Amino acid sequence: MAIIVLIFTGSIFPSDIAVLTIMFLFLLFGLWAMFVHRFRFNALPELRDDSSLKTSGPYRLVRHPMYTSLIFITLIWLINEFSIFRLAIWIILLITIHLKSEYEEKLLIKKFPEYPQYKVRTKKIIPFIY
């Protein structure tokens, strides 16, 4: 819902070509993650019975590349047309993504015994940082 609010309360295409390029690169990063999953993923953080642990491609850099893409694309939207209201919505989105990723990681630990080792090797959302 927060994404929809951000879309409808401001421009989603930055006028600055450099910022638009950065946004496009984050979009490609998210699409790369979806491609690795063969475009089979859930909007809800539930694992499918036939799911497998992906550790290649963008998953070498971060454990949640689709969330990475979403966070940075929406951050660009926020900066492009800043308002306190949109900032509040973006913070709600960040909290939601954080809670979803925490829940998803608990499910992944239960399903994949190798997940804790993968978790030690990679950052959650931002390569080399978090």
Side-chain angles (χ1 to χ4, degrees):
M1 197 63 173
I3 296 167
I4 292 169
V5 171
L6 288 172
I7 288 171
F8 285 105
T9 59
S11 175
I12 59 170
F13 296 107
S15 56
D16 183 286
I17 193 72
V19 176
L20 184 62
T21 302
I22 293 167
M23 187 178 91
F24 181 70
L25 291 173
F26 277 110
L27 177 63
L28 288 177
F29 189 69
L31 289 172
W32 184 21
M34 288 192 254
F35 177 78
V36 168
H37 274 286
R38 300 176 198 234
F39 295 93
R40 294 178 55 216
F41 58 92
N42 291 332
L44 300 174
E46 296 292 333
L47 299 179
R48 294 174 180 235
D49 292 336
D50 63 343
S51 59
S52 61
L53 180 61
K54 305 295 184 197
T55 59
S56 62
Y59 293 90
R60 283 179 293 127
L61 302 171
V62 290
R63 296 189 304 273
H64 302 282
M66 288 184 240
Y67 292 155
T68 301
S69 178
L70 187 61
I71 288 168
F72 283 99
I73 288 171
T74 57
L75 176 61
I76 289 169
W77 293 349
L78 171 65
I79 292 168
N80 188 52
E81 209 162 311
F82 184 82
S83 74
I84 298 298
F85 173 74
R86 293 181 93 215
L87 175 61
I89 297 300
W90 190 74
I91 290 170
I92 290 168
L93 177 64
L94 285 181
I95 292 168
T96 303
I97 287 172
H98 173 74
L99 294 173
K100 284 177 71 173
S101 67
E102 289 293 312
Y103 176 70
E104 187 176 331
E105 291 206 337
K106 288 177 184 173
L107 296 176
L108 289 163
I109 287 168
K110 285 181 186 175
K111 182 158 179 119
F112 303 107
E114 64 275 23
Y115 193 81
Q117 295 158 335
Y118 169 64
K119 197 173 169 181
V120 169
R121 291 191 324 263
T122 56
K123 296 297 182 182
K124 190 175 196 174
I125 303 273
I126 304 171
F128 314 108
I129 298 172
Y130 171 75

